[in-house]
Amino acid sequence: QTEAGVTLIVVLVFLSISFYNVLELTLIIFTTFKQFRGLYFWSFLVATWGIALWSLGFVLKDTGVSTQYLLFMPFIEIGWTCMVTGQSMVLYSRLHIVLRSRKKLRMALYMIIFDAIICHVPIIVVAFGTNSPNPGPFIVPYSVYEKVQVSIFFVQELILSGLYISETVKMMRVQNGTNLGDNGGPRKLMKHLVLVNIIIVLLDITILGLEYAGYFQLQTAYKGLVYSVKLKLEFSILNRLVEMVSG
């Protein structure tokens, strides 16, 4: 009971920080974007409020406020879909700034859509089943496919971040060979962008580690926190990109 109590406290701390980050991100979104439209804006907004729905669902479930799975599960699953695929769409939407190949951009979008279908749909079905009055038939499929979908989404974000890093490095080399001279400003900007993308990948690795270590309750709460931190890092990238393009 003591261990369960400590775990619940840690979970609630993670969820509380996630809620705070959602409020902060919402304020930043509506004060940073001059026009409330476009793929980047809507991806950001959907991903941000997906974290809030996800966290609310687990607050209801983990604290025992509601034992009705039909109440907390919609929050969890809708929030999860918006949070995870929304984050991928944020990554995709800024790829246009550094990636000029229409073919690669289309392939990246097709990958996101395909992964969303094969991951979200099966997990939503078995997750509802696992939390239903008759969870028996769903427990093993859920435990297996949960690891599968976490791995797939990790690889997806790794590919998107890898594309971004490689194209940014290419752009850096071009600028080094043309108009940089002694001015290291653009180079510093690009190094910053690459570093932030590496940090995002490392955060994804921690989620993967908790999942495979079997700390499901901690992983679910920590995931919302990580995704909110990643979105904050995205604003760092956005500001640097604007600097780079303006320069």
Side-chain angles (χ1 to χ4, degrees):
Q1 288 184 344
T2 304
E3 185 178 346
V6 171
T7 300
L8 180 60
I9 291 172
V10 174
V11 164
L12 291 177
V13 169
F14 285 159
L15 294 174
S16 298
I17 298 172
S18 298
F19 280 123
Y20 172 80
N21 285 345
V22 166
L23 292 176
E24 187 177 354
L25 282 164
T26 303
L27 180 63
I28 294 172
I29 288 170
F30 285 104
T31 55
T32 300
F33 286 91
K34 294 180 180 179
Q35 296 180 326
F36 303 151
R37 59 184 175 84
L39 181 61
Y40 197 64
F41 169 78
W42 285 110
S43 298
F44 237 117
L45 194 61
V46 168
T48 298
W49 278 91
I51 297 168
L53 293 175
W54 164 268
S55 300
L56 176 59
F58 278 105
V59 167
L60 295 174
K61 179 183 178 183
D62 292 341
T63 60
V65 170
S66 172
T67 56
Q68 296 296 320
Y69 76 104
L70 291 177
L71 177 61
F72 59 77
M73 285 305 296
F75 286 112
I76 291 173
E77 298 310 321
I78 293 172
W80 171 59
T81 303
C82 294
M83 176 177 73
V84 175
T85 297
Q87 172 76 28
S88 294
M89 289 304 297
V90 169
L91 295 175
Y92 167 78
S93 61
R94 67 170 162 81
L95 261 181
H96 292 76
I97 300 175
V98 295
L99 182 58
R100 303 303 178 191
S101 170
R102 289 181 176 270
K103 182 179 179 181
K104 287 182 180 179
L105 287 169
R106 280 198 302 268
M107 293 301 293
L109 181 59
Y110 294 156
M111 175 185 67
I112 292 171
I113 295 171
F114 178 75
D115 288 348
I117 293 171
I118 66 168
C119 290
H120 289 308
V121 175
I123 279 291
I124 289 172
V125 172
V126 294
F128 269 90
T130 302
N131 289 275
S132 71
N134 182 32
F138 301 97
I139 291 175
V140 173
Y142 178 78
S143 64
V144 172
Y145 207 74
E146 173 72 8
K147 291 180 175 60
V148 171
Q149 64 86 6
V150 169
S151 301
I152 289 174
F153 283 128
F154 168 73
V155 172
Q156 174 176 283
E157 291 200 13
L158 189 64
I159 291 171
L160 292 172
S161 294
L163 271 173
Y164 181 82
I165 291 171
S166 65
E167 294 301 320
T168 303
V169 169
K170 287 179 185 177
M171 189 180 294
M172 185 189 299
R173 287 172 179 168
V174 170
Q175 291 205 13
N176 282 340
T178 55
N179 61 355
L180 258 185
D182 295 329
N183 180 16
R187 185 172 183 177
K188 287 181 181 178
L189 290 180
M190 292 183 191
K191 283 185 176 180
H192 171 83
L193 300 179
V194 171
L195 177 62
V196 171
N197 275 272
I198 291 172
I199 292 172
I200 289 173
V201 171
L202 292 176
L203 287 172
D204 284 333
I205 291 174
T206 62
I207 293 176
L208 202 64
L210 284 174
E211 174 64 39
Y212 277 92
Y215 296 108
F216 176 76
Q217 192 177 12
L218 282 176
Q219 184 262 138
T220 53
Y222 177 70
K223 182 183 287 186
L225 172 59
V226 165
Y227 272 80
S228 66
V229 171
K230 289 198 297 183
L231 287 175
K232 283 189 171 185
L233 290 172
E234 277 296 326
F235 269 109
S236 170
I237 291 176
L238 173 63
N239 292 333
R240 290 294 188 169
L241 282 175
V242 170
E243 259 185 81
M244 187 174 70
V245 172
S246 299

